[in-house]
Amino acid sequence: MNSRERVLARIAGQPVDRLPVMPITMMFAGDRAGIPYGEYCRDYRRLVEAQVRVAEEFDFDYVSAISDPAREAADCGAKIQWFPNQPPALVEEEALLADKTTLARLRVPDPLGGGRMTDRVQAVALLKEKTAGEKIVEGWVEGPIAQGADLRGINTIMLDFFDDEAFVRDLFEFILEMELRFARAQIEAGADLIGVGDAAASLVGPQIYQEFVWPYEKRLVDGIHAAGGRVRLHICGRTNPILKGMGALGCEIVDLDYFADMARARQEMGAQQVLLGNLEPVGVVRNQTPEAIRAALSACHQAAGERYIAGAGCEIVRDTPPENVRAISDYARACRA
């Protein structure tokens, strides 16, 4: 059973030869390959080089085109600040939609139009070629509130939920169309799985999540499924109040950050939901010993049960000792369920 077969079997509820491993690595992957992160984010060939290398070195079951959340916003015209060896940053003080009336003039960018979205589509295609069916290939899009925050500003959009509900819904409709186009382009390029990052969803209460965010997440997930893709939901932060809603989206995989209660997630999402996580990236994966990491991962696995994939709660930080990352794969290789 190769890596791709292993993950697909786990998603389908079929037997696997060992526990799948799918931690998020971005800056860690770039550093292992000696690639400055600014290049990793700008040049799909460098991203692919780093992803293939780290997957092979640490026996991961997938490769991913994730790099930063500023691709769609940049193609919409948002101002981006670049750094040689850090992720690009959206300039929130000059948010593209600081003036709400700009939305009416905004057009959905073409994901194949030569911008940053195109670079990710090219990364997916090259990852597919380089892994030759051996690994799961993961694309990535932003979720509705995460992208809304990128375009409007995180503090401003939080006020919009109370001050201008109609604008929020119009904005989310725009985002939904954009992200579905982007996801379809990545699926057509060869993505087996589309990650949906919606971290800002952890910052709203369950009422706002259920009324405003969840319906658009659900339409995004359903649209990706209609395009022939599978979905990995990634919401960083304290998600305990919205776990039930996350589980009702129908995603093939749900990531849990270390703030979330794995046993509660299993109870609220049901026995069939595949869960991934939720080792603390800094306090455990970076700072503890391999033995302590394996013990912590065993506890996550026990709480999650059989429908589980090994990984951290969020990105493996760049200065994590390689032996600590290898401890995750070592544990997985020893598990036959």
Side-chain angles (χ1 to χ4, degrees), residues 72-96:
E72 299 96 305
D75 285 3
C76 286
K79 186 174 181 179
I80 308 298
Q81 185 174 6
W82 288 95
F83 306 93
N85 200 26
Q86 295 286 342
L90 290 145
V91 182
E92 185 168 355
E93 306 79 46
E94 301 178 46
L96 182 64

Side-chain angles (χ1 to χ4, degrees), residues 60 81 156 179 193 217 274 291 312 316:
F60 297 156
Q81 185 174 6
T156 308
E179 301 301 354
L193 180 71
E217 288 182 343
V274 176
E291 293 76 15
I316 301 292

Side-chain angles (χ1 to χ4, degrees), residues 120-122 124-126 128-129 137 184-191:
R120 179 169 288 167
V121 175
Q122 291 171 317
V124 167
L126 189 55
K128 192 73 172 180
E129 176 187 331
V137 173
R184 283 194 291 266
Q186 293 177 72
I187 292 165
E188 290 168 3

Side-chain angles (χ1 to χ4, degrees), residues 162-175:
F162 301 94
D163 297 339
D164 197 340
E165 295 182 8
F167 170 75
V168 171
R169 297 186 194 283
D170 288 344
L171 175 58
F172 284 2
E173 289 289 346
F174 174 89
I175 290 168

Side-chain angles (χ1 to χ4, degrees), residues 227-240:
R230 305 170 185 86
V231 182
R232 172 185 184 174
L233 179 68
H234 183 84
I235 299 179
C236 307
R238 301 181 185 276
T239 54
N240 282 336

Side-chain angles (χ1 to χ4, degrees), residues 105-121:
R105 302 187 297 273
L106 205 58
R107 296 294 175 263
V108 172
D110 180 0
L112 301 179
R116 297 204 67 224
M117 295 163 78
T118 304
D119 183 80
R120 179 169 288 167
V121 175

